[in-house]
Amino acid sequence: MAGESVSNSPYDVVIIGGGPAGLTAGMYAARANLRTLAIAGDSTVSQVTVTDLIENYPGISEGINGFDLAERFKAQAVQFGLETASGDVTEGTGKRWGDKDGWEIAAGEMRFGALAVIIATGANWRRLGVPGEERFIGKGVSFCATCDGPFYKNREVAVVGGGDTAIQEALYLTRFAKKVTVIHRRDRLRATAILRKRAFASEKIAFAWDSVVESIDGLDLVQEVRLKDIKTGALSKLSVNGIFVFVGLTPNTAPFRELVRVDAGGYITTDAHMQTSVPGIFACGDCIAKRLRQVVTACGDGATAAFSAQLYVEELKGEAY
Ligand code: NAP
């Protein structure tokens, strides 16, 4: 395979992913004196960077913008010696690196060797899969309220989903839009109580319960969505200028699914030490199978993965205590 290796000797640890899990793993590994590289994806953004407000990260009671928090994570990790690169790892890490114990990681044209690998590739927004969704991306269909909310000043928008993300982003959109209709396929919200309470208290938020989107329609831009009441089967139309889809996540694990064990949803299964099914490959953050996907849990996973990688590398080098 063509491509240049930017490194002649393998890193101790290569982390794939530049979000909270990857950067925390990077900080811990670098601080433990391991030669560590974190590769951030070129074509994916860490979800945290497009989160307007994080108010449940311990110690920051005033809340913080997600992008700012991610920048702080990176600066702290780099300060301890973490090296960074950017590129999409699309081919998995399935090859032994030369005749040594280790792995080769391909990111675009770059090749890196690693004694241990930490997969921290996060998750991406799931699509509805209805007519009009792909066609109107950037023309009224959005997956990021922080990015696109300001375009909808005094306009009407819809939010699809009933989880934490949908409700948090619906609340954020009330800063701009004159009306936000939350379209949810059930008659109650999955979102946490504090978010539910705020949403029900907002005069700008309306709810289309028991409803699914059948199609997203318009000429050049979104003009309306067609809804179906799943209890009665009744069809209706909702006039909106924009529709924000927050129906959960899909893990960014496609390149690794042949390599490490994943669950039915494609999430990487690990043990409590973030060890995957393959020795020397660890995983952490939103891409692993777990219950709670938060910045704080991603950071905890990252620290654990780095420590496990450290023990693994020390064992390989014959330096284990
Ligand atoms: P989520 O919790 O999986 O919720 C997804 C929502 O979309 C659910 O209400 C689900 O409906 C609905 N849905 C799924 N597929 C659908 C489809 N095809 N059509 C219509 N509706 C569909 O996902 P999330 O809200 O993105 O949250 C992901 C993780 O991040 C969670 O662990 C969440 O707690 C965390 N998070 C936390 C915060 C916070 O603490 N402030 C903020 C954002 C995210 P059902 O309810 O019927 O399943």
Side-chain angles (χ1 to χ4, degrees):
M1 197 182 326
E4 60 176 294
S5 175
V6 298
S7 166
N8 291 324
S9 61
Y11 282 91
D12 291 320
V13 181
V14 167
I15 299 158
I16 306 169
L23 291 172
T24 305
M27 179 178 74
Y28 271 73
R31 191 165 175 272
N33 243 353
L34 298 171
R35 189 166 165 252
T36 308
L37 173 75
I39 307 170
D42 262 345
S43 59
T44 51
V45 291
S46 168
Q47 289 173 73
V48 71
T49 60
V50 293
T51 302
D52 173 53
L53 176 68
I54 293 169
E55 58 180 4
N56 54 4
Y57 192 76
I60 308 182
S61 53
E62 68 279 19
I64 185 168
N65 173 271
F67 184 83
D68 294 340
L69 183 60
E71 287 294 299
R72 286 200 202 181
F73 286 156
K74 188 169 176 185
Q76 194 175 3
V78 167
Q79 179 186 307
F80 284 114
L82 177 70
E83 296 177 41
T84 59
S86 75
D88 290 325
V89 174
T90 52
E91 295 177 39
T93 58
K95 280 173 257 159
R96 288 278 165 181
W97 194 72
D99 56 357
K100 300 186 184 72
D101 280 320
W103 305 94
E104 183 183 273
I105 296 136
E109 292 297 300
M110 299 177 291
R111 298 289 180 274
F112 302 101
L115 298 182
V117 176
I118 298 176
I119 302 171
T121 43
N124 216 325
W125 295 275
R126 190 186 287 149
R127 304 281 161 101
L128 283 173
V130 298
E133 185 181 36
E134 294 296 321
R135 179 182 154 211
F136 288 112
I137 288 176
K139 297 172 185 164
V141 171
S142 174
F143 300 88
C144 176
T146 310
C147 318
D148 300 328
F151 295 126
Y152 296 93
K153 208 155 186 230
N154 294 324
R155 313 191 94 188
E156 299 200 9
V157 298
V159 163
V160 190
D164 284 334
T165 306
I167 302 310
Q168 183 161 311
E169 301 305 293
L171 286 162
Y172 176 72
L173 286 165
T174 61
R175 295 188 195 183
F176 313 100
K178 68 177 176 204
K179 184 177 175 191
V180 179
T181 302
V182 174
I183 302 165
H184 186 37
R185 63 185 180 181
R186 293 182 195 247
D187 59 5
R188 63 186 190 283
L189 298 175
R190 177 187 287 278
T192 192
I194 190 168
L195 293 174
R196 289 199 306 262
K197 198 170 159 199
R198 286 179 195 162
F200 293 142
S202 170
E203 288 178 356
K204 286 188 170 182
I205 297 182
F207 292 88
W209 298 112
D210 298 315
S211 299
V212 293
V213 175
E214 290 273 286
S215 66
I216 300 169
D217 303 305
L219 291 173
D220 294 331
L221 300 171
V222 168
Q223 290 171 320
E224 63 183 23
V225 291
R226 285 199 308 127
L227 302 181
K228 182 172 159 188
D229 184 310
I230 55 168
K231 284 190 175 154
T232 65
L235 297 173
S236 63
K237 287 180 181 175
L238 177 71
S239 293
V240 287
N241 305 106
I243 173 166
F244 291 78
V245 180
F246 300 115
V247 293
L249 301 169
T250 169
N252 298 323
T253 55
F256 315 112
R257 289 182 192 179
E258 302 292 311
L259 178 66
V260 293
R261 195 170 301 138
V262 298
D263 70 7
Y267 290 95
I268 297 171
T269 52
T270 67
D271 66 11
H273 308 300
M274 304 299 136
Q275 170 69 64
T276 69
S277 56
V278 178
I281 301 185
F282 304 85
C284 55
D286 279 3
C287 67
I288 68 167
K290 61 175 182 175
R291 276 221 172 131
L292 184 61
R293 296 193 167 80
Q294 300 272 293
V295 177
V296 70
T297 59
C299 292
D301 294 351
T304 302
F307 187 62
S308 297
Q310 177 192 335
L311 297 181
Y312 176 85
V313 168
E314 286 172 352
E315 190 72 42
L316 266 190
K317 289 181 172 177
E319 294 172 356
Y321 178 69

